[in-house]
Amino acid sequence: MTQGASGDGPGRGETYSGAARERFERLYETLRNRICLLDYPPGHRLSEEALATEFGVSRTPLRRVLGWLEAQGLLRSVQGVGTIVTDVEIDALSQIYQLRMELAELIGRLGPREPDETMLTLFRNLRDRGQQLAESPDARAFAQFNIDVFQALMQVSNNKPLRETSERLFYLTSRIWLQSVPQIDLGQEATILAREVEELLTAIEIGDLAAVGLIRRAHISMSFIRLIRYRDG
Amino acid sequence: MTQGASGDGPGRGETYSGAARERFERLYETLRNRICLLDYPPGHRLSEEALATEFGVSRTPLRRVLGWLEAQGLLRSVQGVGTIVTDVEIDALSQIYQLRMELAELIGRLGPREPDETMLTLFRNLRDRGQQLAESPDARAFAQFNIDVFQALMQVSNNKPLRETSERLFYLTSRIWLQSVPQIDLGQEATILAREVEELLTAIEIGDLAAVGLIRRAHISMSFIRLIRYRDG
DNA sequence: TAGGATTTGTGCGTATGTATT
DNA sequence: TAATACATACGCACAAATCCT
């Protein structure tokens, strides 16, 4: 699963070769998914010992994975206490959202990639999935769909550091956002996201990637406002 | 040494408490400085064993530090080979510079901090140092001055994720840039940077932080063009 | 081609810190 | 307040991978 586009950097786990590298990447992706799909919600305490046993490795290589997740801001290790899934305060959340908005716009301006048939197919599939999701909302399916839409959007820009930065901030905040959505409004959120994907597809079909960035920016902005309302109300 | 501004996140080494945290931070800063001041130039191979001996610790806590530097993209560990200081290819460098330009402008727009007497003093001191440096250029002093100017600029924005992202990209590229400057033109570069600081100070004195971002962006742009010329010529 | 020297990765026992009873 | 349980941090010995002779 090599990341596309030109301009290689270190990237996640592309560090050492062979079996060790694959194992690292597998564990990293697995744990990050569990965190971002709220299997491990913010504040959850996980045990090195238990995870090591589950994955059939010793604590040492596992701690390397936890260290990277900690460097990404998803975990926090405290001696004598445990390894805790991070939460994000409202002020910090606001700052991240402001930056994410700017980066979303940049996705359409920095090294835009000419839409090809593959990208169109990708977004058309997402559109169909979005319609299905809006009809029968489900928290976990929504979380996964949200991630997949984001990943598809990252295909729009060739600028790798921009993609990696956006990704880090997305994984840091999307789980907090999802946690704040009351069950009763999940259907509405699914409908909104499905409509966003339709808009994005329209912009991609005519090859206006700058518009893609602007649409995304607008939706990130509105998402944050709704999040505040969910919290207060 | 709490980082100023509002909105806390995990941040570097603020993870565990007490002596361990201080040691981690000390080792991290030390090694990052050595990398960014070109004591360890790109491609340099460093030994876990030797570093552990030097700092009087075992390999285990040292490896934690190396892991974070690897996550930041400054190191790359390969089993059986060693821990190598990363280089950055010209294509990747170009992408990072494009992003850094945009982020520099954002520094003046996202959560600008009202300039106070402390900030003015900071930049006035930098202006004086810049003038001295332009008179008697020195590679290492220039590298340190470049870092200090950057750190001062980060004070302009209250947006912590923006500061951290900018910082990561700066440390990733500034050392590559410095390595490309021929000794003969170091004096010219020092003069240019000293003038930039004067411009920045002027903008700060009248409280126009958006202008600060624009000036910085322009200089980053020109820096990259000169870097390309140094490489080719 | 093969073997030894060197380097990072791994496993495990112990030290140290925290929270609770 | 002290003791106990339990978590991560640490140190060391060994395995695995790479490079060079």
Side-chain angles (χ1 to χ4, degrees):
Chain A
M1 183 163 52
T2 44
Q3 303 202 21
S6 62
D8 267 11
R12 207 177 30 254
E14 301 170 9
T15 51
Y16 42 80
S17 58
R21 175 189 160 281
E22 289 179 27
R23 180 170 72 177
F24 174 91
E25 197 147 338
R26 192 184 91 244
L27 295 186
Y28 184 92
E29 301 274 353
T30 300
L31 290 179
R32 195 189 58 179
N33 277 343
R34 290 181 185 179
I35 294 170
C36 294
L37 295 176
L38 297 184
D39 295 333
Y40 301 147
H44 182 82
R45 226 177 62 200
L46 38 85
S47 155
E48 296 182 351
E49 189 67 38
L51 289 174
T53 302
E54 176 189 346
F55 294 119
V57 298
S58 92
R59 282 180 53 210
T60 307
L62 179 74
R63 279 174 60 80
R64 182 186 175 86
V65 175
L66 297 181
W68 274 60
L69 289 167
E70 193 176 347
Q72 301 302 313
L74 292 174
L75 292 179
R76 194 176 103 248
S77 287
V78 183
Q79 184 174 6
V81 179
T83 303
I84 299 113
V85 178
T86 55
D87 200 349
V88 182
E89 301 301 318
I90 185 64
D91 288 340
L93 204 62
S94 170
Q95 293 189 338
I96 298 177
Y97 262 86
Q98 283 209 301
L99 181 53
R100 280 190 59 197
M101 283 169 53
E102 303 289 342
L103 296 182
E105 201 178 329
L106 287 180
I107 285 288
R109 290 203 284 117
L110 255 50
R113 179 183 304 176
E114 195 66 26
D116 55 6
E117 203 50 47
T118 305
M119 194 188 294
L120 283 168
T121 302
L122 179 62
F123 274 90
R124 284 174 184 143
N125 287 339
L126 285 173
R127 178 196 52 190
D128 297 342
R129 272 180 65 192
Q131 289 175 345
Q132 293 174 6
L133 186 68
E135 292 171 9
S136 56
D138 167 73
R140 194 186 172 82
F142 181 86
Q144 187 63 59
F145 182 63
N146 193 35
I147 291 174
D148 293 342
V149 169
F150 173 81
Q151 291 292 359
L153 265 167
M154 288 302 101
Q155 303 291 320
V156 167
S157 172
N158 276 316
N159 192 300
K160 187 174 180 182
L162 173 59
R163 292 200 309 270
E164 289 178 344
T165 302
S166 302
E167 187 175 310
R168 175 173 128 77
L169 298 175
F170 171 81
Y171 284 122
L172 218 47
T173 56
S174 66
R175 65 206 170 92
I176 309 294
W177 180 85
L178 182 64
Q179 203 187 23
S180 303
V181 175
Q183 191 65 30
I184 197 68
D185 278 343
L186 191 62
Q188 184 188 343
E189 290 295 336
T191 302
I192 291 172
L193 181 52
R195 279 216 309 265
E196 181 187 349
V197 173
E198 289 187 61
E199 292 180 73
L200 292 170
L201 176 58
T202 305
I204 290 172
E205 279 176 334
I206 66 172
D208 189 350
L209 297 185
V212 169
L214 292 169
I215 292 168
R216 182 65 175 174
R217 174 178 178 145
H219 276 269
I220 293 176
S221 175
M222 292 187 287
S223 288
F224 183 66
I225 291 175
R226 291 199 304 276
L227 179 140
I228 298 295
R229 291 188 180 157
Y230 289 142
R231 283 175 50 98
D232 295 348
Chain B
M1 183 166 53
T2 44
Q3 301 203 23
S6 62
D8 267 9
R12 211 177 25 257
E14 300 171 10
T15 51
Y16 41 81
S17 59
R21 176 188 159 281
E22 290 179 25
R23 179 171 73 179
F24 175 92
E25 198 147 337
R26 192 183 93 243
L27 295 187
Y28 184 92
E29 301 275 352
T30 301
L31 289 179
R32 194 189 59 178
N33 277 343
R34 290 182 185 179
I35 294 170
C36 294
L37 295 176
L38 298 184
D39 295 334
Y40 301 147
H44 182 83
R45 225 178 61 200
L46 38 86
S47 156
E48 295 183 351
E49 189 68 36
L51 289 174
T53 302
E54 175 188 348
F55 294 119
V57 297
S58 92
R59 280 179 56 209
T60 306
L62 178 74
R63 279 174 61 78
R64 182 184 174 89
V65 175
L66 296 181
W68 274 61
L69 290 167
E70 192 175 346
Q72 300 302 314
L74 292 174
L75 292 179
R76 195 176 103 249
S77 287
V78 184
Q79 184 174 5
V81 178
T83 303
I84 298 114
V85 178
T86 55
D87 200 349
V88 182
E89 301 301 318
I90 185 64
D91 288 339
L93 203 61
S94 171
Q95 292 188 338
I96 298 177
Y97 262 85
Q98 283 208 302
L99 181 54
R100 280 189 59 198
M101 284 169 53
E102 303 288 343
L103 296 182
E105 202 177 327
L106 287 180
I107 286 286
R109 289 203 285 116
L110 255 52
R113 179 182 305 177
E114 194 66 26
D116 55 5
E117 202 51 46
T118 304
M119 193 187 292
L120 283 169
T121 303
L122 180 61
F123 274 90
R124 284 173 183 144
N125 287 339
L126 286 173
R127 177 196 53 190
D128 297 342
R129 272 181 66 192
Q131 289 175 345
Q132 293 173 5
L133 186 67
E135 293 171 7
S136 56
D138 167 71
R140 194 186 172 83
F142 180 87
Q144 187 62 60
F145 182 63
N146 193 35
I147 291 173
D148 292 342
V149 169
F150 172 81
Q151 291 292 359
L153 265 166
M154 288 302 101
Q155 303 289 321
V156 167
S157 173
N158 276 316
N159 192 300
K160 188 173 178 182
L162 174 58
R163 291 200 308 270
E164 289 178 345
T165 303
S166 301
E167 187 175 310
R168 174 173 128 81
L169 298 175
F170 170 80
Y171 284 122
L172 218 47
T173 55
S174 66
R175 64 207 170 92
I176 309 293
W177 179 86
L178 183 64
Q179 203 187 26
S180 303
V181 176
Q183 191 64 31
I184 197 68
D185 279 341
L186 191 62
Q188 185 189 341
E189 290 294 338
T191 302
I192 291 172
L193 182 52
R195 279 215 309 264
E196 181 188 349
V197 173
E198 289 188 61
E199 292 181 74
L200 292 171
L201 176 58
T202 306
I204 289 172
E205 279 176 334
I206 66 173
D208 189 349
L209 297 184
V212 169
L214 292 170
I215 291 168
R216 182 64 175 174
R217 174 176 178 148
H219 276 269
I220 293 176
S221 174
M222 292 187 287
S223 287
F224 184 65
I225 292 175
R226 292 199 304 277
L227 179 142
I228 299 296
R229 291 189 180 155
Y230 288 143
R231 284 176 49 100
D232 296 349

Coordinates of all heavy atoms in Angstrom, one line a residue, chain B residues 6-74:
Chain B
S6 N -2.2 30.0 24.5 CA -3.3 29.2 25.0 C -3.4 27.9 24.2 O -2.7 27.8 23.2 CB -4.6 30.0 24.9 OG -4.8 30.3 23.6
G7 N -4.2 27.0 24.6 CA -4.5 25.8 23.9 C -3.4 24.8 24.0 O -2.6 24.7 23.1
D8 N -3.4 24.0 25.0 CA -2.4 23.0 25.1 C -2.7 21.8 24.4 O -3.8 21.3 24.2 CB -2.2 22.7 26.6 CG -1.2 23.6 27.3 OD1 -0.7 24.5 26.6 OD2 -0.8 23.3 28.4
G9 N -1.6 21.2 23.9 CA -1.7 19.8 23.3 C -0.6 19.0 24.0 O -0.1 19.5 25.0
P10 N -0.3 17.9 23.4 CA 0.8 17.1 24.0 C 2.1 17.8 24.0 O 2.7 18.0 25.1 CB 0.8 15.8 23.2 CG 0.1 16.2 21.9 CD -0.9 17.3 22.2
G11 N 2.6 18.1 22.9 CA 3.9 18.8 22.8 C 5.0 17.9 23.0 O 4.9 16.8 23.4
R12 N 6.2 18.4 22.9 CA 7.4 17.6 23.0 C 7.8 17.3 24.4 O 8.1 18.1 25.2 CB 8.5 18.4 22.3 CG 9.6 17.5 21.6 CD 10.6 18.4 20.9 NE 10.8 19.7 21.5 CZ 10.3 20.8 20.9 NH1 9.6 20.7 19.8 NH2 10.5 22.0 21.4
G13 N 7.7 16.0 24.7 CA 8.2 15.6 26.0 C 7.4 16.0 27.2 O 7.8 15.8 28.3
E14 N 6.3 16.7 27.0 CA 5.4 17.0 28.1 C 4.6 15.8 28.5 O 3.6 15.9 29.1 CB 4.5 18.1 27.7 CG 5.2 19.4 27.3 CD 4.2 20.4 26.7 OE1 2.9 20.2 26.8 OE2 4.6 21.4 26.1
T15 N 5.2 14.6 28.2 CA 4.4 13.4 28.3 C 4.4 12.8 29.7 O 3.4 12.7 30.4 CB 4.9 12.4 27.3 OG1 6.3 12.3 27.5 CG2 4.5 12.8 25.9
Y16 N 5.6 12.5 30.2 CA 5.7 11.9 31.5 C 6.4 12.9 32.4 O 7.0 13.9 32.0 CB 6.3 10.6 31.6 CG 7.5 10.4 30.7 CD1 8.8 10.8 31.1 CD2 7.4 9.7 29.5 CE1 9.9 10.6 30.3 CE2 8.5 9.6 28.7 CZ 9.7 10.0 29.1 OH 10.8 9.8 28.3
S17 N 6.3 12.7 33.7 CA 6.7 13.7 34.7 C 8.1 13.5 35.2 O 8.7 12.5 35.0 CB 5.7 13.7 35.8 OG 5.7 12.4 36.4
G18 N 8.5 14.5 35.9 CA 9.7 14.4 36.7 C 11.0 14.3 35.9 O 11.2 14.9 34.8
A19 N 12.0 13.6 36.5 CA 13.3 13.5 36.0 C 13.3 12.9 34.6 O 14.1 13.4 33.7 CB 14.2 12.7 36.9
A20 N 12.5 11.9 34.3 CA 12.5 11.3 33.0 C 12.1 12.2 31.9 O 12.8 12.3 30.9 CB 11.5 10.1 33.1
R21 N 11.1 13.1 32.2 CA 10.7 14.0 31.2 C 11.8 15.0 30.9 O 12.1 15.3 29.8 CB 9.5 14.8 31.7 CG 9.0 15.9 30.8 CD 7.8 16.7 31.5 NE 7.7 18.0 30.9 CZ 8.5 19.0 31.2 NH1 9.5 18.9 32.0 NH2 8.3 20.2 30.6
E22 N 12.4 15.5 31.9 CA 13.5 16.5 31.7 C 14.7 15.9 30.9 O 15.2 16.5 30.0 CB 14.1 17.0 33.1 CG 13.1 17.9 33.8 CD 13.6 18.3 35.2 OE1 14.9 18.4 35.3 OE2 12.8 18.6 36.1
R23 N 15.0 14.7 31.3 CA 16.1 14.0 30.6 C 15.7 13.8 29.1 O 16.5 14.1 28.2 CB 16.4 12.7 31.2 CG 17.5 11.9 30.5 CD 17.9 10.7 31.2 NE 17.0 9.6 31.2 CZ 17.1 8.4 31.8 NH1 18.2 8.2 32.5 NH2 16.2 7.5 31.7
F24 N 14.5 13.4 28.9 CA 14.1 13.2 27.5 C 14.2 14.5 26.7 O 14.7 14.6 25.6 CB 12.6 12.7 27.5 CG 12.0 12.6 26.1 CD1 12.1 11.5 25.4 CD2 11.4 13.7 25.5 CE1 11.5 11.4 24.1 CE2 10.9 13.7 24.2 CZ 10.9 12.5 23.5
E25 N 13.7 15.6 27.3 CA 13.7 16.9 26.6 C 15.1 17.3 26.4 O 15.4 17.9 25.3 CB 12.9 17.9 27.4 CG 12.5 19.1 26.7 CD 11.2 19.7 27.1 OE1 10.4 18.9 27.8 OE2 10.9 20.8 26.9
R26 N 16.0 17.1 27.4 CA 17.4 17.5 27.2 C 18.0 16.8 26.0 O 18.7 17.4 25.2 CB 18.1 17.2 28.5 CG 19.5 17.9 28.6 CD 20.2 17.5 29.9 NE 21.1 16.4 29.7 CZ 20.9 15.2 30.4 NH1 19.9 15.1 31.2 NH2 21.8 14.2 30.1
L27 N 17.9 15.5 26.0 CA 18.5 14.7 24.9 C 17.9 15.1 23.6 O 18.6 15.2 22.6 CB 18.3 13.2 25.2 CG 19.0 12.6 26.4 CD1 18.8 11.1 26.5 CD2 20.4 13.0 26.5
Y28 N 16.6 15.3 23.6 CA 15.9 15.6 22.3 C 16.5 16.9 21.7 O 16.9 17.0 20.6 CB 14.4 15.7 22.5 CG 13.6 15.9 21.2 CD1 13.1 14.8 20.5 CD2 13.4 17.2 20.8 CE1 12.4 15.0 19.3 CE2 12.7 17.4 19.6 CZ 12.2 16.3 18.9 OH 11.5 16.6 17.7
E29 N 16.5 17.9 22.6 CA 17.0 19.2 22.1 C 18.4 19.2 21.7 O 18.8 19.7 20.7 CB 16.8 20.3 23.3 CG 15.4 20.5 23.8 CD 14.6 21.5 22.9 OE1 15.2 22.1 22.1 OE2 13.4 21.6 23.2
T30 N 19.2 18.5 22.5 CA 20.6 18.4 22.2 C 20.9 17.7 20.8 O 21.6 18.3 20.0 CB 21.4 17.5 23.2 OG1 21.2 18.1 24.5 CG2 22.8 17.4 22.9
L31 N 20.2 16.6 20.6 CA 20.4 15.9 19.3 C 19.8 16.7 18.1 O 20.4 16.8 17.1 CB 19.8 14.5 19.4 CG 20.5 13.5 20.3 CD1 19.8 12.2 20.3 CD2 22.0 13.4 19.8
R32 N 18.7 17.3 18.4 CA 18.1 18.1 17.3 C 19.0 19.3 16.9 O 19.2 19.6 15.7 CB 16.7 18.6 17.6 CG 15.9 19.1 16.4 CD 14.6 19.8 16.8 NE 14.9 20.9 17.7 CZ 13.9 21.7 18.2 NH1 12.7 21.5 17.8 NH2 14.2 22.7 18.9
N33 N 19.6 19.9 17.9 CA 20.5 21.0 17.6 C 21.7 20.5 16.8 O 22.1 21.2 15.9 CB 21.0 21.6 19.0 CG 20.0 22.7 19.5 OD1 19.1 23.1 18.8 ND2 20.1 23.0 20.8
R34 N 22.2 19.4 17.2 CA 23.4 18.9 16.5 C 23.0 18.6 15.1 O 23.8 18.8 14.1 CB 23.9 17.6 17.2 CG 24.5 17.8 18.5 CD 25.1 16.6 19.1 NE 25.6 16.8 20.5 CZ 26.1 15.9 21.3 NH1 26.2 14.6 20.8 NH2 26.5 16.2 22.5
I35 N 21.8 18.1 14.8 CA 21.4 17.8 13.5 C 21.2 19.1 12.7 O 21.7 19.2 11.6 CB 20.1 17.0 13.5 CG1 20.4 15.6 14.1 CG2 19.5 16.9 12.1 CD1 19.1 14.8 14.3
C36 N 20.6 20.1 13.3 CA 20.2 21.3 12.6 C 21.4 22.3 12.5 O 21.3 23.2 11.7 CB 19.0 22.0 13.3 SG 17.5 20.9 13.2
L37 N 22.4 22.1 13.3 CA 23.6 23.0 13.2 C 24.6 22.2 12.4 O 25.8 22.7 12.3 CB 24.1 23.3 14.6 CG 23.2 24.2 15.4 CD1 23.8 24.4 16.8 CD2 23.0 25.5 14.8
L38 N 24.3 21.1 11.8 CA 25.1 20.4 10.9 C 26.3 19.7 11.6 O 27.3 19.4 10.9 CB 25.6 21.3 9.7 CG 24.5 21.8 8.8 CD1 25.1 22.5 7.6 CD2 23.6 20.6 8.3
D39 N 26.3 19.6 12.9 CA 27.3 18.8 13.6 C 27.1 17.4 13.1 O 28.1 16.6 12.9 CB 27.1 18.8 15.1 CG 27.4 20.2 15.7 OD1 28.1 21.0 15.0 OD2 26.8 20.5 16.7
Y40 N 25.9 17.0 12.9 CA 25.5 15.7 12.2 C 24.9 16.1 10.8 O 23.7 16.3 10.8 CB 24.5 14.9 13.0 CG 25.0 14.5 14.4 CD1 24.1 14.4 15.4 CD2 26.3 14.2 14.7 CE1 24.4 14.1 16.7 CE2 26.7 13.9 16.0 CZ 25.8 13.8 17.0 OH 26.1 13.4 18.3
P41 N 25.7 16.1 9.8 CA 25.1 16.5 8.5 C 24.3 15.4 7.9 O 24.3 14.3 8.4 CB 26.4 16.8 7.6 CG 27.4 15.9 8.2 CD 27.1 15.8 9.7
P42 N 23.4 15.7 6.9 CA 22.6 14.7 6.3 C 23.5 13.5 5.8 O 24.6 13.7 5.2 CB 22.0 15.4 5.1 CG 22.0 16.8 5.5 CD 23.2 17.0 6.4
G43 N 23.1 12.3 6.1 CA 23.8 11.1 5.7 C 24.7 10.6 6.8 O 25.2 9.5 6.8
H44 N 24.9 11.4 7.8 CA 25.8 11.0 8.9 C 25.2 9.9 9.7 O 24.0 9.8 9.9 CB 26.0 12.2 9.9 CG 26.9 11.9 11.1 ND1 28.2 12.0 11.0 CD2 26.6 11.6 12.3 CE1 28.8 11.7 12.1 NE2 27.8 11.4 13.0
R45 N 26.0 8.9 10.0 CA 25.5 7.7 10.8 C 25.9 7.8 12.2 O 27.1 8.0 12.5 CB 26.1 6.5 10.1 CG 25.1 5.4 9.9 CD 25.7 4.2 9.3 NE 26.8 3.6 10.1 CZ 27.7 2.8 9.6 NH1 27.8 2.5 8.3 NH2 28.6 2.3 10.4
L46 N 24.9 7.8 13.1 CA 25.2 7.9 14.5 C 24.9 6.6 15.2 O 24.0 5.8 14.8 CB 24.6 9.1 15.2 CG 23.2 9.5 14.8 CD1 22.2 8.7 15.6 CD2 23.0 11.0 15.1
S47 N 25.6 6.3 16.3 CA 25.5 5.0 17.0 C 24.7 5.1 18.3 O 25.0 6.0 19.1 CB 26.9 4.5 17.2 OG 26.9 3.5 18.3
E48 N 23.7 4.3 18.5 CA 23.0 4.3 19.7 C 23.9 4.0 20.9 O 23.8 4.7 21.9 CB 21.9 3.2 19.7 CG 20.8 3.4 18.6 CD 19.8 2.3 18.7 OE1 20.0 1.3 19.4 OE2 18.7 2.4 18.0
E49 N 24.8 3.0 20.7 CA 25.7 2.7 21.8 C 26.6 3.9 22.2 O 26.7 4.2 23.4 CB 26.6 1.5 21.3 CG 27.5 0.9 22.4 CD 26.6 0.1 23.4 OE1 25.6 -0.5 23.0 OE2 27.0 0.2 24.6
A50 N 27.2 4.6 21.2 CA 28.0 5.7 21.5 C 27.3 6.8 22.2 O 27.8 7.4 23.2 CB 28.7 6.2 20.2
L51 N 26.1 7.1 21.7 CA 25.3 8.2 22.3 C 24.9 7.9 23.7 O 24.9 8.7 24.6 CB 24.1 8.5 21.4 CG 24.4 9.2 20.1 CD1 23.1 9.3 19.2 CD2 25.0 10.6 20.3
A52 N 24.5 6.6 23.9 CA 24.1 6.2 25.2 C 25.2 6.4 26.2 O 25.1 6.9 27.3 CB 23.6 4.7 25.2
T53 N 26.4 6.0 25.8 CA 27.6 6.1 26.6 C 27.9 7.6 26.9 O 28.1 8.0 28.1 CB 28.8 5.5 25.9 OG1 28.6 4.1 25.7 CG2 30.1 5.6 26.8
E54 N 27.8 8.4 25.9 CA 28.1 9.8 26.0 C 27.1 10.5 27.1 O 27.6 11.2 27.9 CB 27.9 10.6 24.7 CG 28.1 12.1 24.8 CD 27.8 12.8 23.6 OE1 27.7 12.2 22.5 OE2 27.7 14.1 23.7
F55 N 25.9 10.1 27.0 CA 24.9 10.8 27.9 C 24.7 10.0 29.2 O 23.9 10.4 30.0 CB 23.5 10.9 27.1 CG 23.6 11.8 26.0 CD1 23.3 11.4 24.7 CD2 23.9 13.2 26.2 CE1 23.3 12.3 23.6 CE2 23.9 14.0 25.1 CZ 23.6 13.6 23.8
G56 N 25.4 8.9 29.3 CA 25.4 8.2 30.6 C 24.0 7.5 30.9 O 23.6 7.4 32.0
V57 N 23.4 7.1 29.8 CA 22.1 6.3 30.0 C 22.2 5.0 29.2 O 23.2 4.8 28.4 CB 20.9 7.1 29.4 CG1 20.7 8.4 30.2 CG2 21.1 7.4 27.9
S58 N 21.3 4.2 29.3 CA 21.3 2.9 28.5 C 20.6 3.2 27.2 O 20.1 4.3 26.9 CB 20.6 1.8 29.3 OG 19.2 1.8 28.9
R59 N 20.7 2.2 26.3 CA 20.1 2.5 25.0 C 18.6 2.7 25.0 O 18.1 3.4 24.2 CB 20.4 1.2 24.1 CG 21.8 1.2 23.6 CD 22.1 -0.1 22.7 NE 21.1 -0.2 21.7 CZ 20.6 -1.3 21.2 NH1 21.1 -2.5 21.7 NH2 19.8 -1.3 20.2
T60 N 17.9 2.1 26.0 CA 16.5 2.2 26.0 C 15.9 3.6 26.0 O 15.1 3.9 25.1 CB 15.9 1.4 27.1 OG1 16.5 0.0 27.1 CG2 14.4 1.3 27.0
P61 N 16.2 4.4 27.0 CA 15.6 5.8 26.9 C 16.2 6.6 25.7 O 15.4 7.4 25.2 CB 16.1 6.4 28.2 CG 17.2 5.6 28.7 CD 17.0 4.2 28.2
L62 N 17.4 6.3 25.3 CA 17.9 7.0 24.1 C 17.1 6.6 22.9 O 16.8 7.5 22.1 CB 19.4 6.6 23.9 CG 20.0 7.3 22.7 CD1 20.3 8.7 22.9 CD2 21.3 6.6 22.2
R63 N 16.8 5.4 22.8 CA 16.0 4.9 21.6 C 14.6 5.6 21.5 O 14.1 5.8 20.5 CB 15.8 3.4 21.6 CG 17.0 2.7 21.1 CD 16.9 1.2 21.3 NE 15.7 0.6 20.5 CZ 15.7 0.4 19.2 NH1 16.7 0.7 18.5 NH2 14.6 0.0 18.7
R64 N 14.1 6.0 22.7 CA 12.8 6.7 22.7 C 13.0 8.1 22.1 O 12.2 8.5 21.2 CB 12.4 6.9 24.2 CG 11.0 7.6 24.3 CD 10.7 7.8 25.7 NE 9.5 8.6 25.9 CZ 8.2 8.1 25.9 NH1 8.0 6.8 25.8 NH2 7.2 8.9 26.0
V65 N 14.1 8.7 22.4 CA 14.5 10.0 21.8 C 14.6 9.9 20.3 O 14.1 10.6 19.5 CB 15.7 10.6 22.5 CG1 16.1 11.9 21.8 CG2 15.5 10.9 23.9
L66 N 15.4 8.9 19.9 CA 15.7 8.7 18.5 C 14.4 8.4 17.7 O 14.2 8.8 16.6 CB 16.7 7.5 18.3 CG 18.1 7.7 18.9 CD1 19.0 6.5 18.6 CD2 18.7 9.0 18.3
G67 N 13.5 7.7 18.4 CA 12.2 7.4 17.8 C 11.4 8.6 17.5 O 10.8 8.7 16.4
W68 N 11.4 9.6 18.4 CA 10.7 10.8 18.2 C 11.4 11.6 17.0 O 10.7 12.2 16.2 CB 10.7 11.7 19.5 CG 9.5 11.3 20.3 CD1 9.3 10.1 20.9 CD2 8.4 12.1 20.8 NE1 8.1 10.1 21.6 CE2 7.6 11.4 21.6 CE3 8.1 13.5 20.5 CZ2 6.4 11.9 22.1 CZ3 6.9 14.0 21.1 CH2 6.1 13.2 21.9
L69 N 12.7 11.7 17.0 CA 13.4 12.4 16.0 C 13.1 11.7 14.6 O 13.0 12.4 13.6 CB 14.9 12.4 16.2 CG 15.3 13.3 17.4 CD1 16.7 13.0 17.8 CD2 15.1 14.8 17.0
E70 N 12.9 10.4 14.7 CA 12.6 9.7 13.4 C 11.1 10.0 13.0 O 10.9 10.2 11.8 CB 12.7 8.2 13.7 CG 12.6 7.3 12.5 CD 12.9 5.9 12.8 OE1 13.4 5.5 13.9 OE2 12.6 5.0 11.9
A71 N 10.2 10.1 14.0 CA 8.9 10.5 13.7 C 8.8 11.9 13.1 O 7.9 12.2 12.3 CB 8.0 10.4 14.9
Q72 N 9.7 12.8 13.5 CA 9.8 14.1 12.9 C 10.5 14.2 11.6 O 10.5 15.2 10.9 CB 10.5 15.1 13.9 CG 9.9 15.2 15.3 CD 8.5 15.7 15.2 OE1 8.2 16.6 14.5 NE2 7.6 15.0 15.9
G73 N 11.0 13.0 11.2 CA 11.6 13.0 9.8 C 13.1 13.4 9.8 O 13.6 13.6 8.7
L74 N 13.7 13.5 11.0 CA 15.1 14.0 11.0 C 16.1 12.8 11.0 O 17.2 12.9 10.6 CB 15.4 14.8 12.2 CG 14.7 16.2 12.2 CD1 14.9 16.9 13.6 CD2 15.2 17.1 11.1

